[in-house]
Amino acid sequence: MTATGTGTGTGTGPDSGAGPGPVSGTGIRLKAPAPGWSIEADVVVVGSGVAGLTAALRCAAAGRRTVVVTKARLDDGSTRWAQGGIAAALGDGDTPEQHLADTLVAGAGLCDEAAVRTLVTEGPDAVHRLIRTGARFDTAPDSDEIALTREGGHHRRRIAHAGGDATGAEISRALVGAVRAAGLRTIENALVLDLLTDADGHTSGVTLHVMGEGQHDGVGAVRAPAVVLATGGMGQVFSATTNPAVSTGDGVALALRAGAEVSDLEFVQFHPTPLYLGPDAEGQQPLISEAVRGEGAHLVDADGTRFMVGQHELAELAPRDIVAKAIMRRAHEQGVEHMYLDGRHFGAQMWETRFPTILAACRSHGIDPVTEPIPVAPAAHYASGGVRTDLRGRTTVPGLYACGEVACTGVHGANRLASNSLLEGLVFAERIAADIAEGPAPASATHPDPALTPAPATDPAPASAPRTTLPLLAPETRTAVQRIMTAGAGVLRSAGSLAHAAAELDRLHREATEASAGTTHKSPEPGVEAWEATNLLCVARVLVAAAQHRTETRGCHWREDHPDRDDASWRRHFRITLDADRALTLHTTETAAFPPTTAS
């Protein structure tokens, strides 16, 4: 999976701004049994975080038969882990224009200003609609006004929170309750496999594998003319991340196999302050929310020196990429693995009322923030890039939408502003639902409940893209991918580290191909762990290819060998597609603006 071009197929320059032409799909599918059952619907939403459930509720309210597919339980996605809150211009003296300005600065020159303006102007009303759905945010003492705090990169207090530091859990509770009250059909414990398309290349549903026993078991299909990807992020591509175990890049990998464009995958935000659990810590790490710094906690080294003072006007509240880099620099200077976050001056009562979740997590690991500084070190947190969409959430594949962390709307640019992610999920999910509702009334309008029917033995692929299966990785390869990515494409990158990562990932891909052909050891059987490992390898190779190509430091992409930002050469995006032969094609935009999607 190597990049084969940087222009319009010539490899010589930026593209003209036009899309790459009609999409017919790559014909590549994960190796899996044929679907044994199917459900007919108007819309299938894949994912159950704030983006997915908001889209599902709005589509159902518009009269579209909607099915929600989620990888674990309805409340097990990334949304429930969001501690800090949701950003919107809700306070006195704050305006969407100020929120816009802070977002553009954090995005380091690569935000799509139209997308950001959409976010900040529609955001406050979207938050109020979320409240009407049932979400309860913390209020100021003796008041019904929403209590607002501040996080990195924000010049105003505009972060609404719930339960002190349990905002995501509260939003998830409210949306899950609304979905259940509305009687939406849901399929839990289901890993989405591939997009179904008709002979014209238009979306016609998804295949999926349901884990466990129940009405649906094994591989099946949800057939629908509209598919909304809200699958979350890909943090599990690294050894240490704040993401849950389900965040294995499934949506991005599916979209690539379907022929969709992805962009900005090199911009992975590493949160500055996860709890440091040792050099060998792997998997999901406890997050120490930026809101802790927003309330006045200080970053210090082992000597108690506040090393962020003088490095940025906002000190500890600088944008996350700046703070993460500062932590890494000071750690390298001192030959240590971590820094400290000092909130001892808060006192026990503030920790217990404002940050009860964080307090409990720290104490469970033998650290008491009331009496000692918290050891912290950056870990993979958020993918600023993803499946490229327009302002209505439409991708370059007709009928395929994306929202939330899996999408690249252009809002985040090279670095997401703190707490903009929940707001992006809300705003663009509503826009997707509006676009679907504006389309022609579905033929199924007189049949309100999705129907379970026998599935055909095979699923048609477009004639222009013969169906091929992707070699599967052995489940144990997942750890190898994570360690390769952490060493070669983590917080600090270089030509050497990225080249080594690319070579190692190519080796894993080659070994899987040889095993599939029967020339070496036996190929793994299809199953959840093999599918996840294969998806992780796919997104890892795209990320590394983009990071190799971007020879500058910008936002959360930090090149040790190219330490400066280069607007003349690199204030532009990469549009990456997967070819039928599993090679990557990389197009470079002429400016920071995205061209229209082919579905527009």
Side-chain angles (χ1 to χ4, degrees):
M1 192 185 292
T2 55
T4 60
T6 58
T8 53
T10 65
T12 58
D15 62 35
S16 62
V23 173
S24 59
T26 65
I28 301 172
R29 304 276 184 89
L30 288 173
K31 183 179 180 182
W37 52 269
S38 70
I39 291 174
E40 301 291 335
D42 301 321
V43 183
V44 55
V45 176
V46 187
S48 60
V50 62
L53 295 187
T54 299
L57 287 166
R58 299 294 184 268
C59 286
R64 298 309 195 255
R65 296 189 307 165
T66 304
V67 174
V68 177
V69 174
T70 187
K71 195 172 179 182
R73 297 190 307 273
L74 277 182
D75 62 352
D76 264 355
S78 294
T79 291
R80 66 175 290 206
W81 297 101
Q83 294 174 342
I86 184 166
L90 300 167
D92 291 341
D94 197 5
T95 65
E97 286 295 324
Q98 294 176 69
H99 191 182
L100 174 98
D102 286 344
T103 301
L104 294 179
V105 169
L110 278 188
C111 294
D112 183 310
E113 186 166 342
V116 179
R117 193 170 296 280
T118 296
L119 178 83
V120 299
T121 55
E122 297 181 11
D125 286 343
V127 171
H128 287 296
R129 283 190 290 274
L130 179 62
I131 292 170
R132 291 196 292 273
T133 301
R136 297 188 293 265
F137 292 99
D138 295 342
T139 57
D142 303 318
S143 170
D144 292 331
E145 296 294 321
I146 297 174
L148 300 173
T149 190
R150 193 173 157 207
E151 293 185 0
H154 293 273
H155 284 79
R156 290 275 188 177
R157 296 179 75 89
R158 65 168 66 98
I159 315 300
H161 52 83
D165 57 0
T167 310
E170 169 57 18
I171 290 174
S172 180
R173 180 204 63 78
L175 291 173
V176 168
V179 163
R180 288 176 174 155
L184 268 66
R185 186 162 197 164
T186 61
I187 304 176
E188 297 180 287
N189 302 306
L191 172 64
V192 66
L193 299 176
D194 280 298
L195 191 74
L196 297 175
T197 52
D198 62 21
D200 296 321
H202 192 286
T203 294
S204 60
V206 293
T207 55
L208 63 157
H209 174 81
V210 181
M211 299 164 265
E213 299 178 357
Q215 180 183 3
H216 310 307
D217 198 12
V219 175
V222 180
R223 302 181 185 279
V227 171
V228 181
L229 291 179
T231 51
M234 55 184 192
Q236 290 290 328
V237 79
F238 295 97
S239 296
T241 177
T242 63
N243 290 189
V246 295
S247 298
T248 51
D250 307 318
V252 171
L254 174 151
L256 281 164
R257 292 192 295 271
E261 290 183 4
V262 301
S263 290
D264 295 351
L265 248 62
E266 66 270 35
F267 298 117
V268 176
Q269 185 178 87
F270 285 76
H271 197 289
T273 57
L275 179 63
Y276 178 75
L277 298 179
D280 298 322
E282 294 183 343
Q284 186 177 7
Q285 308 297 298
L287 177 62
I288 311 301
S289 169
E290 195 148 334
V292 177
R293 282 174 281 140
E295 295 291 357
H298 304 143
L299 280 167
V300 298
D301 60 19
D303 298 324
T305 302
R306 287 183 62 190
F307 56 89
M308 284 304 302
V309 175
Q311 294 205 31
H312 190 276
E313 61 166 332
L314 297 176
E316 283 90 354
L317 288 179
R320 288 177 177 176
D321 63 307
I322 294 172
V323 179
K325 291 170 188 175
I327 289 174
M328 295 296 292
R329 286 194 189 100
R330 182 57 65 100
H332 287 163
E333 288 170 3
Q334 299 187 341
V336 296
E337 298 290 335
H338 64 87
M339 291 288 107
Y340 294 91
L341 187 62
D342 192 354
R344 289 175 291 178
H345 54 286
F346 287 175
Q349 183 176 3
M350 182 172 176
W351 275 109
E352 291 166 1
T353 57
R354 180 67 178 87
F355 302 112
T357 307
I358 295 171
L359 178 64
C362 288
R363 285 177 170 171
S364 72
H365 290 282
I367 299 157
D368 189 350
V370 177
T371 60
E372 59 186 316
I374 306 167
V376 294
H381 183 58
Y382 190 89
S384 293
V387 185
R388 189 168 79 83
T389 75
D390 64 10
L391 296 186
R392 295 190 172 203
R394 297 176 292 192
T395 73
T396 53
V397 175
L400 179 64
Y401 297 81
C403 58
E405 190 173 354
V406 71
C408 179
T409 62
V411 160
H412 304 305
N415 183 43
R416 176 181 67 100
L417 180 64
S419 288
N420 268 356
S421 52
L422 292 175
L423 190 70
E424 184 196 32
L426 269 183
V427 168
F428 285 89
E430 292 187 343
R431 290 186 141 247
I432 287 171
D435 190 73
I436 292 172
E438 290 172 7
S444 59
T446 58
H447 303 282
D449 297 320
L452 178 65
T453 61
T458 59
D459 291 295
S464 59
R467 180 171 174 171
T468 60
T469 57
L470 193 65
L472 295 180
L473 264 68
E476 59 269 22
T477 310
R478 174 172 178 155
T479 301
V481 172
Q482 292 169 330
R483 290 176 177 171
I484 291 167
M485 292 298 290
T486 297
V491 178
L492 182 59
R493 304 164 178 174
S494 68
S497 74
L498 291 167
H500 181 72
E504 287 296 290
L505 295 174
D506 284 346
R507 176 182 60 80
L508 294 179
H509 178 71
R510 184 173 61 254
E511 290 174 355
T513 301
E514 292 170 351
S516 178
T519 58
T520 58
H521 55 279
K522 183 179 178 182
S523 179
E525 292 297 317
V528 172
E529 292 181 344
W531 289 323
E532 285 185 333
T534 303
N535 285 338
L536 282 173
L537 179 61
C538 176
V539 297
R541 299 181 82 192
V542 176
L543 191 161
V544 169
Q548 285 182 295
H549 198 67
R550 185 172 291 279
T551 52
E552 65 160 352
T553 291
R554 181 185 298 271
C556 49
H557 172 65
W558 184 12
R559 286 285 298 260
E560 183 180 29
D561 51 340
H562 295 279
D564 298 321
R565 173 170 154 177
D566 182 0
D567 280 351
S569 300
W570 296 118
R571 193 174 175 224
R572 55 195 69 200
H573 304 272
F574 305 146
R575 300 159 48 218
I576 301 176
T577 54
L578 181 65
D579 299 333
D581 62 358
R582 299 198 293 275
L584 295 175
T585 295
L586 188 152
H587 297 263
T588 306
T589 63
E590 289 186 322
T591 68
F594 278 118
T597 63
T598 55
S600 298

